[in-house]
Amino acid sequence: MQRKKMFLYGAIIVLGLIADQLSKYAVLHHVQYLERIPVIPGFFDLTLAYNPGAAFSFLADAGGWQKFFFMGLALVICIYLLRAIIRDEFGTMGKIAAALVIGGATGNVADRIVHGHVVDFLLFYYHNWFYPAFNVADSLICVGAVLLVLESIFHQKKKAV
């Protein structure tokens, strides 16, 4: 693969990681734990929450082993996706998607290493309904995952033709 393209995917990874860590740094230094700062009243607040588990606090109360499990899982996924980017196994959208997932996953792994848990701060809600707090890394992972699914569907059709 061309160096320019590899630079682009590397830049996406690094910029995603930087955006995630800078946003978490700002929240950690300006918001108290569980404090809620309304951004769009009745819909969106900034808050500071800690998540020792995975998505939706899955395994949050597992006793500590989950930290290493999720770090290892993220490492395996990142290696697989990086290898797929280097081997040109995805189309352009898939490589961008993989870079987004890697950037997000490394952001959450950095949290687990530094803090022992993931720092979350984006809280969406409506009346008594709350979506679990999340962060920039989670957003990168979700967008990347959706794009990877779309890429696989598109790539499948492309191969069949």
Side-chain angles (χ1 to χ4, degrees), residues 55-143:
F56 308 108
S57 294
F58 177 66
L59 293 178
D61 297 327
W65 63 266
Q66 74 276 21
K67 169 185 167 182
F68 302 103
F69 173 75
F70 292 129
M71 286 173 38
L73 181 62
L75 179 64
V76 168
I77 291 168
C78 287
I79 290 169
Y80 168 78
L81 291 173
L82 189 58
R83 182 181 145 274
I85 290 171
I86 292 168
R87 290 185 172 189
D88 205 19
E89 294 176 5
F90 297 129
T92 301
M93 183 169 63
K95 287 180 261 197
I96 291 169
L100 290 171
V101 171
I102 293 168
T106 54
N108 282 342
V109 166
D111 280 8
R112 291 182 196 286
I113 292 169
V114 173
H115 306 292
H117 52 258
V118 174
V119 175
D120 289 328
F121 59 91
L122 302 170
L123 181 65
F124 288 88
Y125 61 97
Y126 183 73
H127 294 294
N128 291 330
W129 176 86
F130 288 82
Y131 190 82
F134 61 99
N135 57 46
V136 172
D138 298 335
S139 299
L140 294 171
I141 293 167
C142 287
V143 169

